[in-house]
Amino acid sequence: MTEMSDVLVVGAGMAGASAAWALSALGSVRLLEQEDRPGYHTTGRSAALFTETYGNSVIRRLTSAGRAFFKDPPDGFAAHPLLSPRGTLLIARADQTAALERVLAETPAGSPAPQHLSGAEACALNPALAPDYVAAALYEPDAEDIDVDALHQGFLRGLKARGGTLSTRAEIRSLARKNGLWIAETPAGRFAAPVLVNAAGAWADAVAGLTEIAPIGLVPKRRTAFTFAPSEGVDPASWPATIDVEEQFYFKPEAGLILGSPADETPSPPCDAQPEELDVAIGVDRIETATVLQVRRIAHKWAGLRSFVADKTPVVGFDPAAEGFFWLAGQGGYGIQTAPALAQTVASLIETGDLPSDQRAAGITAADLSPERLTASAP
């Protein structure tokens, strides 16, 4: 028996869950997840920030477009606020100050401009920093920690409340277009809909590969993280998240510990990513070089995949050569903070063919996100 819906969404991580929630206001939605629970891969391994100084100009505009949702989600969406105060400090050595100026120059209109700080002022905000390391910094006081699980579960509950359905252990084994429908064969059943949204994260090109649809050149990249205890008597709770301006490392408070990362981007096949000891060691070395911290023992370590296309901008839109096949992929490390905006992007593009009015007003265009841009730029 084939189960019918208006839209199939492939992948129940943050991208797929949020898109399915938004689309469920328009019609019936079936959300398919290959694992036995949603969010097992990248979403469940993310320690996300809401920051408007992170990513390229399109990413930053999408992030800003989602601020209202994070601040005031729908009634019943979450039991407590999705954001909590943190602040973000982008730090630069003397040889990196030009990179700080570029970040400042690219601040989207209407977004709060980060504060330009001296090295001494940066060290006053985060006393873990080594005074002889930091030459200058940008401080974004409005950056906040995101409760990733609350956000993800809110979308899943909202989908269910609107009549949408989640099927787990539903890896797509075959996919074909017949009689105006996408038909997906999975261990959980046979599902069909006129529109299929490919939100499969690191597996998005593999899903397209089940058909004759050309890949978008998605490259999953491993990102390593670890936690460690601060020195005795040191309380990091009030420190801002501190990020090297060229993304060579970052660290932030995390439930009484300190979370660190070498900000690695190692190409990887789609898989259940695991941390490499060398990457952990590189992260520890970079953090110890930039700070007065000493990492005596790793409490926990993990890795996840962040998937990019060449221009590091998400791919959102109908495939130009495959009727009803909609891409939602390539969010990179920005998928959590852009999820509310991109969910509305997906729903608006499918319903009207254009972006929501607030995103157009912010200077984002459908062409910025369309998969056609990748074909146009190919050699």
Side-chain angles (χ1 to χ4, degrees), residues 44 107 142 170 240 244 270 288 290 330 347:
T107 301
D142 294 329
D244 174 80
E288 289 187 333

Side-chain angles (χ1 to χ4, degrees), residues 196-250:
L196 181 141
V197 176
N198 181 7
W203 284 263
D205 266 350
V207 168
L210 294 171
T211 72
E212 295 181 353
I213 297 172
I216 56 173
L218 199 69
V219 180
K221 296 183 179 182
R222 188 176 68 243
R223 168 62 57 92
T224 305
F226 52 87
T227 56
F228 60 96
S231 301
E232 187 175 350
V234 173
D235 182 5
S238 64
W239 297 353
T242 301
I243 307 169
D244 174 80
V245 70
E246 295 178 330
E247 290 193 58
Q248 296 177 357
F249 65 90
Y250 65 83

Side-chain angles (χ1 to χ4, degrees), residues 249-276:
F249 65 90
Y250 65 83
F251 64 97
K252 66 184 286 286
E254 182 75 11
L257 301 174
I258 300 171
L259 184 153
S261 174
D264 48 325
E265 292 186 348
T266 306
S268 167
C271 66
D272 185 357
Q274 299 298 317
E276 298 284 346

